[in-house]
Amino acid sequence: MGRFAQALNEQVAYEFAASQQYIAIAVYYDDQTLPQLAAHFYRQAVEERNHAMMMVQYLLDADSDVEIPAVAAPQSSFSDVVAPVQLALDQEKRVTEQISELVKTARDEGDLVGEQFLYWFLQEQREEVSSMSALLDVVTRSRDNVLLVEEYLARESGGENPLEAGAPPAAGGAL
Ligand SMILES: [Fe+2]
Ligand SMILES: [Fe+2]
């Protein structure tokens, strides 16, 4: 397997791990009866799963080996309502670095098709870091009255993500 295909297979594992982490965060909020926060992270979990499956589809299309990975257990207990959003923001920043490294690997290998495939993920990371950072501001400011966060999410969610229209195809179809 080439260096780029190998690195992209590793990224599939990171995307599935991100999905599992978001499920764990959603369940934490669901357990606290914070349905908007729970719904937000259940939806994020599906998006991360779709990212993994877009990469799987790319590897299939490129006739590269695809290995569906085991995933490390996520963190599932948290000190307070702010901690999961901080963890999520840290995770999104880490993924941005990972995708950037993947672009550099594709470029090093002269794999322009692979490099172009990743541009959508760079845009997606810019959006996800920005929206998670905004959510962290709101949760931090409202930590003593979390219902304000619920109201914020009820107002802000439901808007279409314009990036979805240009998303790469996902193996088996995006959920
Ligand atoms: Fe992702
Ligand atoms: Fe993400």
Side-chain angles (χ1 to χ4, degrees), residues 15 48 51 125:
E15 299 293 334
E48 299 302 347
H51 294 167
Q125 284 312 119

PDB file of all heavy atoms in Angstrom, residues 15 48 51 125, ligand 1:
ATOM      1  N   GLU A  15     -11.757   9.014  12.081  1.00  0.00           N
ATOM      2  CA  GLU A  15     -13.116   9.518  11.853  1.00  0.00           C
ATOM      3  C   GLU A  15     -14.141   8.642  12.597  1.00  0.00           C
ATOM      4  O   GLU A  15     -15.072   9.161  13.219  1.00  0.00           O
ATOM      5  CB  GLU A  15     -13.439   9.575  10.357  1.00  0.00           C
ATOM      6  CG  GLU A  15     -12.535  10.500   9.546  1.00  0.00           C
ATOM      7  CD  GLU A  15     -12.691  11.991   9.868  1.00  0.00           C
ATOM      8  OE1 GLU A  15     -13.776  12.399  10.325  1.00  0.00           O
ATOM      9  OE2 GLU A  15     -11.713  12.733   9.660  1.00  0.00           O
ATOM     10  N   GLU A  48     -19.465  12.320  11.302  1.00  0.00           N
ATOM     11  CA  GLU A  48     -18.113  11.731  11.355  1.00  0.00           C
ATOM     12  C   GLU A  48     -18.109  10.339  10.714  1.00  0.00           C
ATOM     13  O   GLU A  48     -17.172   9.972  10.010  1.00  0.00           O
ATOM     14  CB  GLU A  48     -17.601  11.656  12.795  1.00  0.00           C
ATOM     15  CG  GLU A  48     -17.481  12.992  13.500  1.00  0.00           C
ATOM     16  CD  GLU A  48     -16.576  13.998  12.796  1.00  0.00           C
ATOM     17  OE1 GLU A  48     -15.822  13.621  11.879  1.00  0.00           O
ATOM     18  OE2 GLU A  48     -16.643  15.178  13.168  1.00  0.00           O
ATOM     19  N   HIS A  51     -17.934  10.907   7.122  1.00  0.00           N
ATOM     20  CA  HIS A  51     -16.570  11.246   6.689  1.00  0.00           C
ATOM     21  C   HIS A  51     -15.751   9.969   6.482  1.00  0.00           C
ATOM     22  O   HIS A  51     -15.036   9.829   5.478  1.00  0.00           O
ATOM     23  CB  HIS A  51     -15.857  12.118   7.735  1.00  0.00           C
ATOM     24  CG  HIS A  51     -16.476  13.475   7.910  1.00  0.00           C
ATOM     25  ND1 HIS A  51     -16.165  14.303   8.960  1.00  0.00           N
ATOM     26  CD2 HIS A  51     -17.382  14.137   7.153  1.00  0.00           C
ATOM     27  CE1 HIS A  51     -16.858  15.430   8.840  1.00  0.00           C
ATOM     28  NE2 HIS A  51     -17.605  15.350   7.762  1.00  0.00           N
ATOM     29  N   GLN A 125     -13.437  21.123   8.044  1.00  0.00           N
ATOM     30  CA  GLN A 125     -12.761  21.334   9.332  1.00  0.00           C
ATOM     31  C   GLN A 125     -12.834  22.801   9.754  1.00  0.00           C
ATOM     32  O   GLN A 125     -13.019  23.100  10.936  1.00  0.00           O
ATOM     33  CB  GLN A 125     -11.305  20.862   9.275  1.00  0.00           C
ATOM     34  CG  GLN A 125     -11.144  19.353   9.334  1.00  0.00           C
ATOM     35  CD  GLN A 125     -11.949  18.711  10.453  1.00  0.00           C
ATOM     36  OE1 GLN A 125     -12.822  17.891  10.204  1.00  0.00           O
ATOM     37  NE2 GLN A 125     -11.701  19.095  11.695  1.00  0.00           N
TER      38      GLN A 125
HETATM   39 FE    FE B   1     -14.583  14.345  10.411  1.00  0.00          FE
END
